[in-house]
Amino acid sequence: MAEVPDVRPALAAELAGWLERLGLSGQLTAAGLPTYDRDGDVVRWRDPATGEELDAERLAELDRALRAVGDDPAHGVPVELVRLRRDAEVRQSLLDGGWLDYAGVARLRGTSENAARFALHKAAQRRTVLLVQHEGGTLVPRFQLDDAGEVREELLAVLEPLLAAGGDPWRAWIWLTTPAALLGGAVPHEAARDPEERPVVQHAAVALAERSRSAQG
């Protein structure tokens, strides 16, 4: 009986190369998918839980899953990885674009760091300030604060439904600071400065919160 050739090496290398060309290989871990290690031209895909190398069947399943979106599997798009990459890029732009720690808020408010920390956490419990956890620390996105370090009055009714929905604070930060389809391309926190636009922003925040709840359910 003729020996069946092992298709894993070719498929493993082709799949890794495809993701590398798309610039998406770095998103595998965040997506909870198998990752790979490369030794020259030899690529080994490994199970994220056990670290064991994937067998031919599981490797083929992974290939099909990543190429599932699109009419032609040869040109399929790993949508989840694309989304994760975009989120990572947006998160980095947010980190570069402006945030404060407790000490920074304390300086604006003219109070102690401990007092600022206490007040911010009380406000977060009331859903009146957005706090974001990052690398073991707490970030206070700067856009929501006025020059005195207090949350902008016009944002309170926008923040409350978003925070009450219990979604990812990063997603709330992203939505509030980037052009939103629900607002015809306007940036929510900027549009909220206009009294005529404020109710529209509040309505959009409620709609987004309801969508978030549905996704979690």
Side-chain angles (χ1 to χ4, degrees):
M1 182 176 179
E3 183 177 345
V4 177
D6 186 355
V7 299
R8 276 190 305 172
L11 180 56
E14 195 282 330
L15 183 56
W18 176 57
L19 293 175
E20 289 165 1
R21 290 191 297 274
L22 292 173
L24 298 174
S25 58
Q27 309 306 321
L28 292 165
T29 299
L33 292 170
T35 57
Y36 63 87
D37 50 66
R38 181 188 287 279
D39 183 6
D41 293 332
V42 178
V43 175
R44 291 182 175 85
W45 286 84
R46 300 191 181 279
D47 184 284
T50 66
E52 296 294 325
E53 186 175 0
L54 300 187
D55 59 25
E57 182 178 355
R58 288 200 59 198
L59 186 60
E61 288 176 356
L62 175 64
D63 183 60
R64 286 193 296 271
L66 290 174
R67 299 179 188 272
V69 178
D71 295 331
D72 181 357
H75 302 286
V77 179
V79 172
E80 178 64 12
L81 298 186
V82 172
R83 184 187 67 76
L84 287 170
R85 182 181 65 182
R86 178 188 176 279
D87 285 357
E89 292 170 348
V90 173
R91 286 189 182 198
Q92 189 56 54
S93 71
L94 293 177
L95 292 173
D96 294 340
W99 54 271
L100 297 172
D101 56 12
Y102 297 127
V105 175
R107 285 192 293 271
L108 287 177
R109 294 184 176 182
T111 187
S112 70
E113 183 175 341
N114 283 338
R117 179 187 292 106
F118 179 80
L120 286 166
H121 281 277
K122 281 294 186 182
Q125 290 173 5
R126 297 192 302 271
R127 302 168 184 143
T128 56
V129 69
L130 173 64
L131 303 181
V132 178
Q133 302 305 310
H134 179 62
E135 296 183 348
T138 300
L139 311 183
V140 187
R142 181 68 178 86
F143 77 89
Q144 66 188 317
L145 305 180
D146 60 22
D147 292 340
E150 301 295 335
V151 177
R152 292 161 43 196
E153 186 72 24
E154 70 271 17
L155 287 181
L156 294 177
V158 178
L159 288 170
E160 196 282 332
L162 293 176
L163 300 180
D168 182 356
W170 279 102
R171 292 203 173 281
W173 191 359
I174 291 170
W175 184 79
L176 285 161
T177 57
T178 56
L182 291 174
L183 298 174
V187 175
H189 88 90
E190 294 175 355
R193 297 182 188 278
D194 184 341
E196 294 185 0
E197 294 295 326
R198 197 170 303 150
V200 181
V201 178
Q202 293 168 358
H203 178 76
V206 170
L208 183 66
E210 291 175 349
R211 186 186 305 169
S212 176
R213 286 193 186 93
S214 297
Q216 294 174 51

